[in-house]
Structure formats: C-alpha cells, structure tokens
Amino acid sequence: MEPVPEPEIYMEGVNQALEKIATESIDKIVVSRALDFKTKEQVDVKQLLKNLARHNRQGYTFAVDLPKKKSLRSREMPLKK
C-alpha cells in the first residue's frame, strides 16, 4: 500500500493551508489523500466504500471508476480576489 501523497508531503500541505487560513482571508481549504494498492482478488468496491464511510462519518467517501493505468489528478487553480 502506498500513500499518495507521502505523509510528510501531505502534512506540509496541511500546515501551509493552516498558515493561509491564519494569515489571509481564506475560510476553508479542502485537502485529500489516497492509498494506492494492488490485490490479487477482485475488490467489492461498494462494500469497501460502505466500510470506509462507516468508519469515517465526518469525511466524504467516494470512488472514481478510472480506465486501467490512468490516474485521477487535480491541479490548483489560482483565483483572483
């Protein structure tokens, strides 16, 4: 299992977000992370999501069906005030 991004990089981003909230007129920043893993058996995604959601009621749990060897990426979009 591989965390994406690495825990140190994730926490660096969280700390930067908290700094922006404290010093700028930003009220909320959304951060997320993922775990990449491979299995030999087929995964029941619906059951996996139910289990994740049950254990993390405060978060948003979702899945994206991606083509093989593709990844979901997000880019920052600067906004003018």
Side-chain angles (χ1 to χ4, degrees):
M1 200 169 353
E2 180 182 338
V4 179
E6 293 291 330
E8 298 82 17
I9 295 171
Y10 176 77
M11 287 309 301
E12 185 178 309
V14 169
N15 289 330
Q16 289 175 3
L18 292 172
E19 179 71 22
K20 287 185 180 286
I21 290 172
T23 61
E24 299 178 23
S25 61
I26 296 174
D27 297 325
K28 175 181 172 182
I29 296 176
V30 177
V31 295
S32 66
R33 56 188 172 168
L35 293 173
D36 284 348
F37 61 93
K38 294 181 182 181
T39 64
K40 292 181 181 180
E41 297 102 28
Q42 184 71 24
V43 174
D44 183 346
V45 176
K46 289 181 182 179
Q47 186 61 50
L48 177 64
L49 287 174
K50 286 179 185 178
N51 292 344
L52 289 170
R54 186 174 62 237
H55 292 289
N56 183 15
R57 296 185 189 275
Q58 297 170 346
Y60 294 99
T61 304
F62 64 93
V64 177
D65 190 14
L66 299 172
K68 292 191 183 286
K69 297 188 179 181
K70 297 285 183 182
S71 62
L72 180 65
R73 300 199 183 267
S74 173
R75 292 188 175 158
E76 291 182 23
M77 186 172 66
L79 301 174
K80 294 182 180 179
K81 290 185 180 183

